[in-house]
Amino acid sequence: MSVLHGRLIDGSGQLFFWCPGCDQAHGPHVPEWAFNGDFDKPTFTPSLLVYSHKTLINDELEGDALTAPENITETPRCHSFVTDGQIQFLDDCTHSLRGQTVKLPEWPLT
């Protein structure tokens, strides 16, 4: 069961935060990543690298339709430092927040 604590969700050995660059959750595994214990202004070390990956929109298609570009979505590569509640997006990110530092957002409402 996941529990919301400040800007993080605690779930199954991972602490998830919402990444505004990827518009999805990222979850460093603790204790592999050091965590400062502050759920409102977290720091994780070392940096967090989330690789880009491709996903089929409809995996029931066949032939060329299955691998057609319009049936494939790709998540961005995201490389960041989370320090004192700030996300510093490094220059090797492939999303629009590349090279910027932003406040760790509140968890989005579902």
Side-chain angles (χ1 to χ4, degrees), residues 56 61-72:
L56 295 174
L61 296 175
E62 295 181 6
D64 290 341
L66 182 65
T67 57
E70 59 270 11
N71 192 43
I72 298 172

Side-chain angles (χ1 to χ4, degrees), residues 7 9 11 16 19 21 25 37 45 47 49 53 59 61-62 76 87 89 91 96 98 107:
R7 298 182 185 277
I9 286 184
F16 294 94
C19 175
T45 54
S47 67
L49 175 60
H53 66 274
D59 61 1
L61 296 175
E62 295 181 6
I87 307 173
F89 293 107
D91 287 335
S96 64
R98 175 179 158 258
W107 198 263

Side-chain angles (χ1 to χ4, degrees), residues 18 107-110:
W18 192 258
W107 198 263
L109 298 175
T110 56

Side-chain angles (χ1 to χ4, degrees), residues 10 31 37 47 58 76 85:
D10 184 358
S47 67
N58 182 351

Side-chain angles (χ1 to χ4, degrees), residues 42-106:
T43 296
F44 295 103
T45 54
S47 67
L48 185 69
L49 175 60
V50 178
Y51 289 98
S52 171
H53 66 274
K54 295 180 180 180
T55 305
L56 295 174
I57 296 168
N58 182 351
D59 61 1
E60 295 179 4
L61 296 175
E62 295 181 6
D64 290 341
L66 182 65
T67 57
E70 59 270 11
N71 192 43
I72 298 172
T73 183
E74 186 170 3
T75 62
R77 173 187 168 104
C78 187
H79 193 188
S80 64
F81 284 101
V82 177
T83 307
D84 294 325
Q86 301 282 318
I87 307 173
Q88 176 191 3
F89 293 107
L90 302 177
D91 287 335
D92 59 339
C93 291
T94 60
H95 55 63
S96 64
L97 293 179
R98 175 179 158 258
Q100 298 179 47
T101 299
V102 300
K103 183 177 178 180
L104 191 70
E106 294 286 333

